[in-house]
Amino acid sequence: MTVDRVIELEGAVNFRDLGGYATGDGRRTRWRVLFRADGLSELTAADLAVFRRLGIRTVVDLRTGHELEQSKFDVTAHPVDFHHFPFIESLANDGEFDRTPGFLGVQYRQMLEEAAPQIVGALSVLAVPDAHPAVFHCTAGKDRTGLLSALVLSLLGVPEDTVVADYALSGAAMARLRAKLVVKYPRRQAAH
């Protein structure tokens, strides 16, 4: 049986299945149970049909409160148990990355230290069998989502090299996200 890891959606560019990964004890993570994603506020009717086929029951949003105020998964279009666990209080500005070498690594460590209650909350929700199939997401589906994905896969016994390879799959999605943002915000692109 062939199962696609990447789920193609019109309104999201980094929606992936965490199933099929080998664990250290010879088992595999189950397909179509847990998904990771980028922003879910622009899903189309066709995307929501995919959600229905996948049977998504739970959405865990890892974004800031401000991001949530700007856009949110449409629970009226596809009713789910919705949970918000912000891993950071505010987004870094673009200049932080240029001015601070290693900024992303520092931010990841800070999330592990400062967002421990939110991480435990998200893991607790995702650990409930009735919550599945579930998806957790942030804006790009790379950093906050990548951190939670690494924790989940590690807790399930997936070897570190596989966890890193899963994280790296977001690289291709970032090119798709940049293309989407150029179309959505053409003035901002022209300013750079």
Side-chain angles (χ1 to χ4, degrees), residues 10-164:
E10 296 169 4
V13 297
N14 196 11
F15 193 97
R16 302 198 311 264
D17 195 321
L18 290 177
Y21 287 128
T23 62
D25 63 3
R27 295 184 291 167
R28 291 195 171 271
T29 57
R30 289 181 30 217
W31 287 103
R32 301 305 191 244
V33 172
L34 191 57
F35 302 89
R36 56 174 290 167
D38 57 312
L40 299 177
S41 64
E42 296 180 8
L43 298 181
T44 65
D47 296 338
L48 292 170
V50 171
F51 262 55
R52 283 189 286 283
R53 280 194 303 277
L54 293 172
I56 301 294
R57 292 181 183 180
T58 304
V59 171
V60 175
D61 190 326
L62 308 175
R63 299 174 307 148
T64 66
H66 178 73
E67 288 171 293
L68 184 67
E69 289 172 10
Q70 300 302 309
S71 64
K72 183 178 174 185
F73 178 79
D74 189 351
V75 295
T76 58
H78 182 80
V80 294
D81 287 331
F82 181 87
H83 303 272
H84 181 229
F85 297 102
F87 277 21
I88 56 176
E89 288 185 30
S90 62
L91 296 173
N93 63 43
D94 294 340
E96 293 271 6
F97 294 95
D98 297 333
R99 288 190 308 269
T100 312
F103 177 77
L104 198 54
V106 169
Q107 190 175 42
Y108 281 22
R109 282 191 298 280
Q110 280 181 314
M111 276 191 279
L112 286 170
E113 294 168 5
E114 297 172 9
Q118 291 84 352
I119 292 168
V120 169
L123 290 171
S124 296
V125 166
L126 297 172
V128 175
D130 287 346
H132 303 140
V135 58
F136 56 92
H137 76 96
C138 62
T139 297
K142 181 178 78 69
D143 299 319
R144 293 164 281 182
T145 297
L147 180 71
L148 185 58
S149 180
L151 291 170
V152 167
L153 292 174
S154 296
L155 288 168
L156 293 173
V158 174
E160 184 178 342
D161 61 332
T162 303
V163 173
V164 170

